[in-house]
């Protein structure tokens, strides 16, 4: 059943001056080249893969839960910020979330497809909630207690622990481009192999991390670099890719120019034939690198700001129209009063349920 917007024109009003452009833009790369989300997504895409029946069941569980059930779209609450950004910095704005149960309660109240968080958070409440909402156990993290701060994703848990607490999937982050990325790729490739053996789905946070990527712009958000990170992620058999929304392009060229050194491999046609500066085209390039949409791309909601509802709607519209598979929204939702967090999730979900927001 399709759910219509509860408030007429709410998407348009939140998009403001960008509404017409974002809602009517025709993408440079045709949607005919993309495997689009839909009610039959799991059967259409995954049935002939090497994923075993247990993995297929858990992928289907993720796509068939919550308010977006059986649409081909995902709305996920991720809360690993207690480690990534420190518990104090993350939860001081709303101290109820020092209690892990409230994290799971928010995901359930917001009708999310799943909740993604730490081994400890899920483990302390697993008997009460593992059968009520799909769990995604995040198995590696970057900790910020070491002085001086260092940026490295290290394993905090193993796949067997995720399986034992009843998780449907494991999640992990790789800092592509960092000095530690080779080790992280090897660790997470091995972990994802084990997860599939045990029947768990896999979700990869494909983030970039290198000081050289910050030049005249922050090329951690470049479509060409994030697209390649996505392609590396699907290569180690991530079933879902999480990526930041792109804001610029030609990171390869900018970094080579700034450093005076050759960097990576690229092709001018990426910038002339496959993309423009439009955010929908930049995001479609990310989708292309997820095996043309065979592996779902979910974009992150970003940090809390002054215009969270408008920013979240904008991200959701861009992701959906580009051919992406949903949004994963953390700080914008849990760093505000509980009911407001639920409302924000429902507002995001309205985009994916609206027949008026079409594929570009």
């Amino acid at each position: 059943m399709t759910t219509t917007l509860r408030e007429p024109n709410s998407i348009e009003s939140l998009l403001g001056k960008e509404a017409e452009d974002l809602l009517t833009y025709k993408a440079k790369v045709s949607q005919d080249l993309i495997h689009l989300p839909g009610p039959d997504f799991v059967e259409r895409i995954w049935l002939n893969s090497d994923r075993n029946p247990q993995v297929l069941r858990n992928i289907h569980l993720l796509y068939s839960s919550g308010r977006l059930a059986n649409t081909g779209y995902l709305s996920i609450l991720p809360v690993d910020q207690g480690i990534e950004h420190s518990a104090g910095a993350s939860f001081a704005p709303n101290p109820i979330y020092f209690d892990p149960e409230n994290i799971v309660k928010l995901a359930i109240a917001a009708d999310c497809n799943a909740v993604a968080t730490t081994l400890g958070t899920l483990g302390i409440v697993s008997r009460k909630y593992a059968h009520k909402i799909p769990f995604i156990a995040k198995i590696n993290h970057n900790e910020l207690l070491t002085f001086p701060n260092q940026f490295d994703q290290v394993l905090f848990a193993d796949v067997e622990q995720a399986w034992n607490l009843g998780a449907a999937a494991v999640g992990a982050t790789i800092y592509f481009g960092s000095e530690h990325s080779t080790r992280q790729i090897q660790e997470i490739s091995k972990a994802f192999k084990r997860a599939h053996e045990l029947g768990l789905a896999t979700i990869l946070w494909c983030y970039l991390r290198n000081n050289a990527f910050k030049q005249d712009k922050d090329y951690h958000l470049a479509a060409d670099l994030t697209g390649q990170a996505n392609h590396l992620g699907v290569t180690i058999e991530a079933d879902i890719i999480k990526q930041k929304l792109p804001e610029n392009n030609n990171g390869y060229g900018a970094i080579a120019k700034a450093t005076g050194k050759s960097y990576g491999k690229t092709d001018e046609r990426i910038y002339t034939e496959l993309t423009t500066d439009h955010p929908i085209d930049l995001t479609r390039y990310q989708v292309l690198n997820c095996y043309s949409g065979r592996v779902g791309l979910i974009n992150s909601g970003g940090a809390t700001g002054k215009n969270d509802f408008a920013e979240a709607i904008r991200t959701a519209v861009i992701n959906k129209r580009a051919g992406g598979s949903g949004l994963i929204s953390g700080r914008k939702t849990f760093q505000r009063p509980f009911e407001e967090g639920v409302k924000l999730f429902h507002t995001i979900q309205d985009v994916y349920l609206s027949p008026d927001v079409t594929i570009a």
Side-chain angles (χ1 to χ4, degrees), residues 12-262:
E12 290 87 344
S13 63
L14 285 167
L15 290 175
K17 295 179 179 179
E18 289 188 287
E20 182 176 0
D21 179 45
L22 291 179
L23 293 172
T24 63
Y25 183 76
K26 183 175 177 61
K28 190 173 183 68
V29 172
S30 171
Q31 63 174 274
D32 295 338
L33 294 182
I34 304 295
H35 297 272
L36 298 173
D40 64 339
F41 186 74
V42 176
E43 288 76 12
R44 174 163 42 94
I45 299 301
W46 292 108
L47 195 61
N48 293 318
S49 73
D50 64 354
R51 278 43 164 194
N52 64 46
Q54 291 88 352
V55 175
L56 294 178
R57 180 184 60 198
N58 277 318
I59 294 175
H60 187 268
L61 179 63
L62 293 173
Y63 279 97
S64 62
S65 299
R67 189 163 172 247
L68 297 185
N70 304 314
T71 63
Y73 293 107
L74 299 165
S75 173
I76 297 173
L77 169 66
V79 188
D80 57 357
Q81 286 85 354
I83 299 175
E84 300 284 335
H85 303 286
S86 91
S90 299
F91 303 140
N94 196 356
I96 68 169
Y97 292 110
F98 278 105
D99 183 340
E101 185 171 13
N102 287 321
I103 293 172
V104 181
K105 283 182 175 180
L106 174 61
I108 293 173
D111 301 299
C112 292
N113 297 70
V115 57
T117 187
T118 66
L119 171 71
T121 295
L122 296 176
I124 202 98
V125 297
S126 63
R127 289 183 183 272
K128 185 174 182 179
Y129 291 106
H131 61 294
K132 295 181 180 180
I133 185 171
F135 283 179
I136 301 167
K138 186 76 165 29
I139 59 173
N140 71 345
H141 305 282
N142 176 59
E143 58 86 16
L144 287 180
L145 200 57
T146 301
F147 184 85
N149 286 162
Q150 60 183 9
F151 297 93
D152 183 17
Q153 291 285 330
V154 296
L155 290 168
F156 273 57
D158 62 39
V159 175
E160 280 75 10
Q161 288 173 297
W163 183 85
N164 280 326
L165 61 79
V170 295
T173 299
I174 293 176
Y175 283 157
F176 290 105
S178 75
E179 61 180 318
H180 307 293
S181 62
T182 298
R183 190 205 79 243
Q184 293 169 16
I185 291 168
Q186 293 171 336
E187 287 178 349
I188 302 309
S189 178
K190 182 178 179 180
F192 280 8
K193 175 179 180 290
R194 182 57 178 152
H196 283 156
E197 289 173 348
L198 291 177
L200 303 183
T202 58
I203 302 175
L204 188 63
W205 279 240
C206 290
Y207 286 174
L208 301 177
R209 177 75 71 175
N210 194 305
N211 289 335
F213 294 170
K214 287 189 176 182
Q215 299 296 337
D216 59 312
K217 300 176 183 177
D218 186 357
Y219 292 101
H220 290 93
L221 305 175
D224 55 350
L225 299 185
T226 55
Q228 179 61 16
N230 291 356
H231 194 74
L232 295 176
V234 296
T235 298
I236 63 172
E237 294 204 328
D239 301 322
I240 296 167
I241 294 291
K242 179 192 175 187
Q243 184 56 268
K244 296 179 180 179
L245 198 72
E247 295 183 2
N248 53 64
N249 209 354
N250 201 6
Y252 284 113
I255 294 164
K257 181 179 179 181
T259 61
K261 299 178 181 179
S262 175

Side-chain angles (χ1 to χ4, degrees), residues 300-351:
S300 55
T304 303
K306 294 181 179 180
N307 301 302
D308 283 344
F309 278 79
E311 290 174 1
I313 289 299
R314 181 181 186 274
T315 303
V317 167
I318 292 169
N319 172 272
K320 183 181 181 182
R321 300 209 68 226
S325 296
L327 228 58
I328 184 163
S329 308
R331 284 169 286 175
K332 286 185 185 300
T333 57
F334 70 76
Q335 288 186 336
R336 60 190 337 109
F338 189 93
E339 292 303 323
E340 284 189 20
V342 171
K343 182 180 179 181
L344 180 51
F345 267 118
H346 286 170
T347 303
I348 291 168
Q349 292 159 9
D350 284 344
V351 171

